[in-house]
Amino acid sequence: MRRRAVEEGFFRALMVLAVALVVVGLLLIMAIITAKGVGSLSWEMITQAPQGGYYLGKSGGVLNAILGSLALAVGATALASIFAFPVCLYLQQDYAGQSRLASFVRTSLDLLWGIPSIVYGAFGFTVLLYLGMRASLLGGMIALTLVELPIMARAMEEAVRMVSQDLKEASYAMGGTRWETMRKIVLRQALPGILTAVLLAFGRGIGDAASVLFTAGYTDSLPRTLLDPVASLPLAVFFQLGTPFPEVQGRAHASAFILLVIVLIISVVSRMMGAKVSKYSVR
Amino acid sequence: MPHISVRNLTVAYDGQAILSDVSMDIPDRQITAVVGPSGCGKTTFLRCMNRLIDMTNGARVTGQVLIDGEDILAPDADLISLRKKMGLLSQKPQALPMSIYDNVAYGPRLHGLRDRKQLDALVERYLRMSSIWEEVKDRLHTPASRLSVGQQQRLCLSRGLAVEPEVLLCDEPTASLDPVSAQRIEQRFTELKQDYSIVLVTHILRQARRLADYIVFFYMGELVEHGPADQLLNDPRDDRTKAYLSGTIS
């Protein structure tokens, strides 16, 4: 009896410890970035592109990187959604079911998830060269789409798979086709989960430096067309941290802080949207 | 009113027979109760009639289910018109993730009805038919999931009727309901049989006694006996039916 109580206590303590580590880690990251970055944060940082000598400590901001990152991540997330949604529907029992093709696709997505994003960057770069393009917003978007797609498709699939077979059959039983059932029932019921999947992919996309390093390039000017290079926040952090000047390094932390705030805002907004759209969900 | 005949229907999952060689006719405009112990193939039998069996992985169906002479198990059968014809009331009420109004309008909209006035009239008519109108008329645009389980089942009945089927397939429709709600559903059935053929799967023998005009008894995937309710309940021929009716097997 005593042994079982000790066992119970031990594993509970282990769980609490793990949870504490996760929470403390998150808070620590936020605290350090805020502490180191807030001092350098200014209106100028978020409203101006780098001026001459910015990386030596002169005036300017990272508006180029903010806009660039938003354009890259929004574009890539939109592109990834266009592919991820059909893929996750196809993996449902109603379409591919438990066929070998479906499990092959699932395994492929898991493998793609595990590929380091620098590899996508290198792959994207090769494709760009082959097409005779240079590093550009479009190139970066495509590379980021590859990074986001497996995460989004797998997370969406989980959400869509949660929709009970009985609920779908209620629609089929009234003469609904598979597509009608997917669009009117499954999409509605799984929408909160689908939004989470999109958000997860967006967060990964906007924070990824390696895949855009070669494919999107970097520039001090604001993004203009799809075919021009764009800056991005993760690379802005990287370049500024790499300078020997403390004030520029401070701005690196400020840039990281901005990145964090963007992700936070998107997360809160999508959660609010999720609550709104799940009004009709059945449990 | 379509006439349903089942011919040599056999269903196997992964090589194991669930229904073997079932042949019978379903009487028109009557309540046909399908009874038998759990796992005897009642639900599978029902799912063959609207081809929802297709959704079950690994099910192999042979034989024929003829509706007005047309084999609905044929690979080229028109599933949409079949399922429009065969309304389903499932064991657990499945409210769709939308408002009460939209739940009832779901089927008619699928089949092309767009006119708002017609939809309004139709929603009211079928909510009245399953006697839930008075309870929900002031909150038609609130989520259906907020209704009680008993109300949801009556909503599902309205929704099924709104497609204007000719046959109602009911799979233990009162199994998850409280006694009062169950009684309400049963009352609806006795009225609805004027216009519909009803196939009622039930594991409650008393329910079959109360409602059925015709009874079909399955045991271990085999159609043991079927006949008018009076005859089958009072004068069963097969020993297994006798044992089931007396409660020796269940």
Side-chain angles (χ1 to χ4, degrees):
Chain A
M1 204 56 226
R2 167 120 186 89
R3 198 190 63 81
R4 292 177 63 199
V6 170
E7 183 186 76
E8 175 71 14
F10 176 74
F11 283 103
R12 200 188 126 73
L14 218 57
M15 288 171 208
V16 171
L17 190 69
V19 171
L21 272 176
V22 170
V23 175
V24 168
L26 177 68
L27 290 179
L28 219 55
I29 290 172
M30 286 168 62
I32 289 173
I33 287 173
T34 310
K36 287 194 155 185
V38 158
S40 309
L41 201 61
S42 63
W43 189 240
E44 207 184 339
M45 273 292 293
I46 55 172
T47 54
Q48 286 187 16
Q51 311 291 316
Y54 174 77
Y55 298 101
L56 301 170
K58 300 236 174 92
S59 69
V62 290
L63 182 62
N64 61 329
I66 297 175
L67 293 181
S69 262
L70 284 175
L72 281 168
V74 168
T77 307
L79 273 178
S81 316
I82 292 173
F83 291 100
F85 189 57
V87 168
C88 85
L89 289 189
Y90 185 72
L91 289 178
Q92 299 313 302
Q93 185 170 359
D94 314 78
Y95 286 99
Q98 294 178 350
S99 65
R100 282 160 71 176
L101 179 65
S103 63
F104 176 72
V105 171
R106 273 191 204 102
T107 312
S108 306
L109 286 174
D110 289 345
L111 284 173
L112 288 173
W113 192 331
I115 291 178
S117 59
I118 187 75
V119 177
Y120 287 114
F123 172 74
F125 186 60
T126 312
V127 174
L128 283 186
L129 284 183
Y130 182 76
L131 294 174
M133 289 163 64
R134 58 177 183 148
S136 61
L137 175 54
L138 183 64
M141 265 184 201
I142 293 171
L144 263 191
T145 303
L146 295 175
V147 173
E148 290 189 15
L149 187 62
I151 303 168
M152 197 190 281
R154 277 304 243 149
M156 270 190 190
E157 200 222 335
E158 288 300 322
V160 168
R161 210 200 327 218
M162 286 297 138
V163 178
S164 78
Q165 194 62 26
D166 291 343
L167 189 61
K168 289 186 265 182
E169 285 184 1
S171 169
Y172 294 134
M174 280 182 279
T177 62
R178 285 183 293 190
W179 172 243
E180 284 162 344
T181 305
M182 292 296 154
R183 186 163 57 87
K184 297 182 173 190
I185 308 295
V186 174
L187 183 58
R188 258 170 192 262
Q189 179 74 1
L191 204 49
I194 290 173
L195 276 176
T196 307
V198 171
L199 168 80
L200 210 64
F202 181 89
R204 170 87 200 267
I206 201 166
D208 197 68
S211 65
V212 294
L213 186 59
F214 301 123
T215 53
Y218 200 83
T219 170
D220 282 350
S221 49
L222 302 180
R224 278 187 307 270
T225 71
L226 277 175
L227 297 173
D228 284 321
V230 286
S232 50
L233 277 169
L235 289 179
V237 174
F238 177 69
F239 291 142
Q240 294 176 108
L241 265 184
T243 67
F245 310 107
E247 57 269 58
V248 182
Q249 291 179 352
R251 287 180 193 162
H253 285 107
S255 308
F257 181 76
I258 295 169
L259 186 56
L260 212 64
V261 169
I262 292 177
V263 172
L264 214 65
I265 290 174
I266 301 277
S267 164
V268 169
V269 168
S270 71
R271 243 159 245 280
M272 278 158 51
M273 275 163 63
K276 208 172 164 62
V277 297
S278 65
K279 182 178 156 198
Y280 289 103
S281 296
V282 291
R283 264 162 267 279
Chain B
M1 186 60 48
H3 183 75
I4 307 173
S5 318
V6 181
R7 294 284 170 267
N8 310 104
L9 180 65
T10 297
V11 181
Y13 293 127
D14 302 323
Q16 196 193 345
I18 300 297
L19 279 181
S20 34
D21 202 27
V22 174
S23 296
M24 65 166 292
D25 281 25
I26 306 273
D28 306 337
R29 282 177 210 263
Q30 289 191 9
I31 298 181
T32 301
V34 181
V35 301
S38 294
C40 69
K42 308 187 290 279
T43 297
T44 302
F45 179 68
L46 203 69
R47 284 168 69 86
C48 287
M49 293 197 204
N50 60 2
R51 287 273 302 265
L52 272 186
I53 190 83
D54 291 17
M55 308 308 302
T56 311
N57 275 319
R60 226 177 80 79
V61 185
T62 53
Q64 291 179 313
V65 175
L66 302 165
I67 296 186
D68 290 334
E70 190 193 335
D71 181 17
I72 60 154
L73 295 180
D76 60 346
D78 177 0
L79 289 189
I80 292 178
S81 69
L82 167 70
R83 288 175 181 163
K84 187 176 183 307
K85 216 183 280 182
M86 314 293 273
L88 175 73
L89 194 58
S90 58
Q91 180 169 359
K92 196 167 159 278
Q94 296 291 337
L96 301 177
M98 49 187 77
S99 71
I100 295 171
Y101 183 99
D102 290 339
N103 258 273
V104 183
Y106 183 82
R109 278 179 178 147
L110 282 183
H111 300 293
L113 187 61
R114 288 276 171 273
D115 183 79
R116 186 78 199 190
K117 271 200 181 120
Q118 275 179 285
L119 278 174
D120 286 348
L122 188 137
V123 167
E124 180 174 345
R125 179 161 79 245
Y126 290 108
L127 284 173
R128 278 188 192 284
M129 205 182 267
S130 55
S131 68
I132 188 180
W133 171 253
E134 291 301 325
E135 292 158 63
V136 300
K137 64 179 178 187
D138 298 322
R139 47 173 173 152
L140 289 176
H141 296 284
T142 59
S145 54
R146 290 196 198 145
L147 296 173
S148 73
V149 178
Q151 287 172 324
Q152 283 189 29
Q153 190 63 308
R154 279 180 287 147
L155 175 67
C156 289
L157 181 58
S158 308
R159 188 180 70 196
L161 293 172
V163 186
E164 300 180 335
E166 296 166 39
V167 177
L168 290 181
L169 305 174
C170 308
D171 189 4
E172 304 194 13
T174 60
S176 51
L177 303 187
D178 61 274
V180 178
S181 301
Q183 200 185 5
R184 283 187 170 152
I185 292 279
E186 287 190 7
Q187 279 165 1
R188 296 287 79 72
F189 286 156
T190 52
E191 294 156 19
L192 288 168
K193 73 172 179 184
Q194 324 275 328
D195 301 306
Y196 302 88
S197 300
I198 299 176
V199 182
L200 172 72
V201 165
T202 180
H203 70 283
I204 313 167
L205 199 51
R206 276 164 302 158
Q207 187 172 53
R209 281 185 207 278
R210 281 193 297 271
L211 295 175
D213 303 300
Y214 197 85
I215 294 185
V216 184
F217 174 60
F218 280 100
Y219 189 69
M220 315 262 285
E222 194 186 324
L223 173 58
V224 175
E225 192 168 347
H226 60 100
D230 281 344
Q231 181 254 304
L232 191 132
L233 289 172
N234 300 322
D235 184 23
R237 302 208 175 97
D238 194 282
D239 287 342
R240 288 167 293 181
T241 318
K242 283 177 193 157
Y244 181 71
L245 291 176
S246 67
T248 324
I249 53 174
S250 64

